[in-house]
Amino acid sequence: PDKNQRWTLSTLFVVGLLDAYVGPAISKAWVTELPAEWLAFQSLGKNGYASIVDSAIENACYAYSIFSTRNEFECALEPELSSVVFRLSPQFWECTDIAQVDALNKKLRRTLLHKNGIVLGQTSVKGKTFLKLTLLNPRLTPQHIDSLCERLLSVGAEVKKV
């Protein structure tokens, strides 16, 4: 049977609640992901799931503490959950032209993705281009984040040379 035929009664109950609160069009879009997340929550329990969320937030705070204290980085804002919004700073790029700094950060993101397999989001804050690091892996350690920070700087140095 396909995914839609394997729904449990509890899944159907949640779909009914979603229909009531957000409307059937939105709940049907959410429902395709619901069974896997429901099973994950059931297998980990409330404390296990909370531990994963706490780990993601702690990692984001750790990354922010590094990025916000080094001159090579500029943070857009303090993280509220598991994402850190940052960029390599004009000081790092040795450039005061904001459009050029934006272009270099965009190029850094593409280079990290295509040549290093590192996926960062891209966003705009107050007209400036920033990168977004989302830290959801509960096995991530501060050492991984330190290593990523150094990789950002080394790849940035390569981008700066070109």
Side-chain angles (χ1 to χ4, degrees):
D2 71 13
K3 188 175 185 176
N4 294 333
Q5 294 171 335
R6 293 183 302 212
W7 290 357
T8 64
L9 287 175
S10 49
T11 302
L12 292 172
F13 175 75
V14 171
V15 171
L17 289 175
L18 287 172
D19 280 352
Y21 285 101
V22 298
I26 295 173
S27 72
K28 285 185 181 34
W30 289 352
V31 139
T32 58
E33 299 304 318
L34 186 62
E37 290 168 3
W38 180 82
L39 285 172
F41 184 78
Q42 292 296 23
S43 66
L44 294 170
K46 185 170 107 175
N47 292 337
Y49 214 76
S51 174
I52 289 173
V53 171
D54 289 344
S55 171
I57 293 170
E58 288 167 9
N59 284 331
C61 289
Y62 180 78
Y64 175 77
S65 74
I66 291 183
F67 294 151
S68 65
T69 57
R70 294 188 61 166
N71 291 335
E72 299 98 329
F73 296 97
E74 177 184 351
C75 291
L77 53 124
E78 202 169 331
E80 293 182 11
L81 290 175
S82 63
S83 293
V84 183
V85 179
F86 72 98
R87 68 190 197 151
L88 290 183
S89 69
Q91 283 179 308
F92 173 84
W93 297 115
E94 300 171 347
C95 179
T96 57
D97 178 12
I98 297 301
Q100 184 69 19
V101 171
D102 287 348
L104 288 164
N105 275 290
K106 289 175 183 179
K107 186 173 182 180
L108 171 65
R109 186 186 72 80
R110 288 190 308 272
T111 303
L112 287 165
L113 176 62
H114 297 295
K115 293 186 178 178
N116 298 271
I118 298 172
V119 179
L120 296 175
Q122 180 179 306
T123 189
S124 179
V125 178
K126 297 181 182 175
K128 298 177 185 176
T129 298
F130 281 85
L131 307 176
K132 186 169 86 168
L133 174 63
T134 303
L135 301 155
L136 294 175
N137 184 341
R139 294 187 176 144
L140 201 64
T141 66
Q143 292 77 21
H144 291 115
I145 296 168
D146 292 339
S147 176
L148 175 63
C149 177
E150 294 309 315
R151 190 74 182 144
L152 288 167
L153 294 173
S154 67
V155 173
E158 292 170 21
V159 167
K160 189 168 32 171
K161 288 179 188 175
V162 176

